[in-house]
Amino acid sequence: MDDSSVSSSILNNSDLNTFDFSIPVAAMTSHWKPVIDAIPSHEVATGDFNPTEHIQYEPPARVHTMKDLGLPENTGVSPIAVSEPFRLFTTEAIHRMRAEVLSQDVWENCKYSSNLAQCQLRGFAAQYAPFVYDTWKNPETLSIISKIAGVELVTEMDFEIAHINISVKSEQQKTEEVAAFVEKQAFDEDEGIAGCPWEDDHKPIVDWHTDSYPFVCVTMLSDCESMIGGETALKTGTGEIVKVRGPQMGCAVILQGRYIEHQALRALGTTERITMVTSFRPRCPNLPDDTVLTTVRAISNLSELYSQYSEYRLDILEERVRNQLRVLRENKRGGKKINVKALKDFMREQESFLAHMNKEMVEEELVTMGSIDDSHLLNHHHDHEA
């Protein structure tokens, strides 16, 4: 879920008309630094992630199902579509995450951008952010996410712990945008068209897309109390648009984003918006894994991405084969005749599984960094199948 948190005003002293956002910060000169400053290290607590101290879970007021959105109930890996925002972490936990995310090592080595979003931090947690990494690997965190999602989940892979979207504006930009919003709202009321959404007149920061991974948890790392807009728009099965309110600091939203087209709407009234997007897949190897790499291939260290993708997919395949082998042996011991049709169905499924995996691992020389096409969109697939 590429949340509405990307902006062209990310770096100090930058000429954004000529700046090439398609390369990591590591390839730039050393004077490039983020506008946002992390909380001074002496003001941030230390120590390992502790769910007792750092989780402040309050269940969401409502969870919307795929049926609620007019989508087939057998779509995806769970009947759950999206949650309303819910409290997940304490303020101290958020400060710890911000300190790691905004560290110099992360900005110098893990910054990416694309035609969908201009400032993203990826693949940093395992090496540079131990608190963030442990947060999402903790069994209690996973239990909360799984309960809301309606299916037992695990993190997609280490490289996706976690994807950070960043938007920064000056105080002047914030004031001007809010003033323009108030003026437009007053005009609309005078003209009898009040209620027309501000976002309809401005291009959303992240356009319509589906995620690469089955589920995402979007956590807000910024204070957004004064924010106007910033919702996530979802396309229903009938083509209508519904909006889910964005989370406040320390709160999160869970979305089955691989199977729902969504769009991040522009946010006004805040100078900073940092969101952490953590991706998940089903723990059960027998459930479908429809992961694609379309939206992440061009904004990743491909060697690391492909290595982790291959490892977990082959783990799934290994477990499926072991389960099938156990069934064959049990049937043989029980004197049962081999079910040739079931065995051939199993082999066809694994052939398809490997073919999908092979398709997603595009040769590095054929990948254009920073360029994401529309092949991940559900409409794209429907158009080609028609």
Side-chain angles (χ1 to χ4, degrees), residues 75 93 212 324:
T75 301
S212 282
Q324 183 64 40

Side-chain angles (χ1 to χ4, degrees), residues 2 6 114-118 205-209 295 370 372 376:
D2 296 316
V6 286
S114 72
N115 53 302
L116 285 182
Q118 289 179 332
I205 295 179
V206 179
D207 214 339
W208 289 109
H209 67 285
T295 61
I372 299 173
H376 61 291

Side-chain angles (χ1 to χ4, degrees), residues 93-268:
I94 297 301
H95 287 171
R96 292 287 302 279
M97 293 177 186
R98 285 176 60 94
E100 291 186 340
V101 166
L102 299 176
S103 69
Q104 184 175 349
D105 283 340
V106 171
W107 277 82
E108 288 184 349
N109 297 288
C110 306
K111 181 184 175 298
Y112 298 86
S113 64
S114 72
N115 53 302
L116 285 182
Q118 289 179 332
C119 184
Q120 301 165 314
L121 306 174
R122 294 175 44 73
F124 58 87
Q127 184 172 358
Y128 300 118
F131 185 87
V132 170
Y133 184 86
D134 291 346
T135 295
W136 296 110
K137 286 291 191 178
N138 187 272
E140 188 162 338
T141 308
L142 290 173
S143 176
I144 291 171
I145 303 301
S146 298
K147 182 178 180 180
I148 296 173
V151 59
E152 189 175 8
L153 299 174
V154 294
T155 50
E156 178 71 29
M157 46 186 149
D158 284 359
F159 195 85
E160 298 299 342
I161 305 174
H163 173 113
I164 305 295
N165 290 318
I166 298 180
S167 171
V168 178
K169 300 172 187 174
S170 67
E171 284 289 344
Q172 181 179 350
Q173 286 175 311
K174 181 187 80 170
T175 302
E176 289 175 352
E177 285 183 345
V178 172
F181 171 78
V182 172
E183 181 179 353
K184 182 180 184 300
Q185 193 174 48
F187 174 81
D188 289 347
E189 290 174 353
D190 289 343
E191 295 296 314
I193 55 174
C196 293
W198 171 264
E199 294 87 4
D200 289 350
D201 297 334
H202 296 264
K203 182 180 179 180
I205 295 179
V206 179
D207 214 339
W208 289 109
H209 67 285
T210 52
D211 294 336
S212 282
Y213 307 120
F215 269 96
V216 292
C217 179
V218 182
T219 307
M220 179 59 66
L221 303 188
S222 298
D223 184 354
C224 295
E225 287 188 5
S226 61
M227 185 180 70
I228 301 169
E231 302 96 338
T232 296
L234 310 175
K235 273 188 185 176
T236 68
T238 60
E240 297 178 40
I241 308 300
V242 297
K243 296 179 183 178
V244 176
R245 179 169 53 89
Q248 295 294 314
M249 189 181 217
C251 297
V253 168
I254 291 176
L255 171 70
Q256 194 170 185
R258 178 71 196 101
Y259 307 96
I260 305 170
E261 288 195 36
H262 54 282
Q263 180 187 68
L265 300 179
R266 190 174 299 277
L268 310 177

Side-chain angles (χ1 to χ4, degrees), residues 301-318:
N301 177 323
L302 285 179
S303 178
E304 195 65 35
L305 181 73
Y306 286 169
S307 175
Q308 294 183 21
Y309 175 71
S310 300
E311 183 176 358
Y312 95 74
R313 293 275 294 191
L314 292 176
D315 278 342
I316 290 175
L317 183 62
E318 180 182 26

